[in-house]
Amino acid sequence: MSKTIENLNILYNNPFNLTPIIVRFYQKYNGKQSKDMLLAYLILPLVLYEDSKTALLNKKKELRTFINYCHKQDDSKNKKEVKKNEKLFGLPDRVADYKEMTNLCLQHAFDSGCLQLNRDLSITFIKYNFKKDNSLVESLKVAENLALLLKNEKLTHIYMRLGIKKL
């Protein structure tokens, strides 16, 4: 049974499925700061984690607002509350877990001509040439919102506020 779960994880978490999320982030980010390639390591851990995804679906203008935001969703039977600590819980570990996958996704994006790496380690968006995938619609929207959230923040402040000390 564990082999089945492992194979499903490999099918879902592969660079060909996850690269459009990173490319969409940089399409909306369009920031001009050096070393903004380091933001790529935050995208997958924040976009794919359900609690942070729920919080990022609502547009926030500041990183401080996102960190302190408490989301309460009240459907008829499903009550879901995302507390401010839950969406960032384990983020440094998730960043470490997704580091290799992020490297593979970035390499795929560079090879396919979607992104370009500059000398100062900034990333320039070139084009988005991926087919529409209905399973990624929500994740792509969350990546766009994350880009708008981080667009005006300094790189060092982002990492400090999110509690990430190393890559």
Side-chain angles (χ1 to χ4, degrees):
M1 186 65 155
S2 66
K3 200 67 162 162
T4 305
I5 293 171
E6 183 180 330
N7 290 336
L8 287 174
N9 185 31
I10 291 171
L11 284 174
Y12 178 72
N13 288 322
N14 69 62
F16 301 108
N17 283 345
L18 299 179
T19 299
I21 296 171
I22 293 176
V23 173
R24 183 62 61 96
F25 172 84
Y26 281 105
Q27 180 180 5
K28 289 293 179 182
Y29 177 70
N30 204 13
K32 298 292 182 195
Q33 66 176 310
S34 66
K35 299 182 184 176
D36 65 3
M37 183 183 101
L38 296 174
L39 292 176
Y41 295 99
L42 300 175
I43 300 168
L44 296 178
L46 287 171
V47 169
L48 299 178
Y49 186 62
E50 284 301 319
D51 290 337
S52 59
K53 180 190 280 190
T54 302
L56 283 168
L57 275 173
N58 301 317
K59 287 187 178 178
K60 300 288 171 242
K61 294 185 179 182
E62 295 180 352
L63 183 62
R64 177 179 38 131
T65 309
F66 165 71
I67 291 172
N68 296 324
Y69 178 70
C70 240
H71 178 71
K72 295 177 183 175
Q73 177 182 356
D74 186 18
D75 295 337
S76 59
K77 294 182 182 178
N78 298 331
K79 291 183 179 179
K80 183 174 184 177
E81 182 175 338
V82 178
K83 297 179 181 167
K84 61 183 176 181
N85 295 336
E86 291 177 355
K87 68 178 158 285
L88 297 178
F89 180 76
L91 183 61
D93 293 334
R94 285 183 303 200
V95 168
D97 290 344
Y98 277 105
K99 183 178 178 182
E100 185 63 32
M101 182 59 63
T102 301
N103 288 336
L104 293 172
C105 290
L106 285 172
Q107 186 64 49
H108 178 59
F110 297 146
D111 290 345
S112 63
C114 297
L115 298 177
Q116 177 184 357
L117 182 64
N118 302 321
R119 287 183 178 259
D120 61 350
L121 294 181
S122 64
I123 292 181
T124 305
F125 171 77
I126 305 294
K127 63 181 175 179
Y128 186 87
N129 63 351
F130 298 100
K131 293 181 181 177
K132 186 175 180 178
D133 186 359
N134 290 334
S135 66
L136 290 178
V137 170
E138 189 176 70
S139 296
L140 293 173
K141 182 65 178 165
V142 171
E144 289 176 5
N145 290 347
L146 180 63
L148 296 174
L149 179 82
L150 300 179
K151 192 174 195 173
N152 297 323
E153 297 285 335
K154 291 185 178 180
L155 191 62
T156 54
H157 292 150
I158 294 169
Y159 271 82
M160 284 185 348
R161 289 182 180 166
L162 294 177
I164 300 169
K165 297 177 183 172
K166 66 175 186 169
L167 276 178

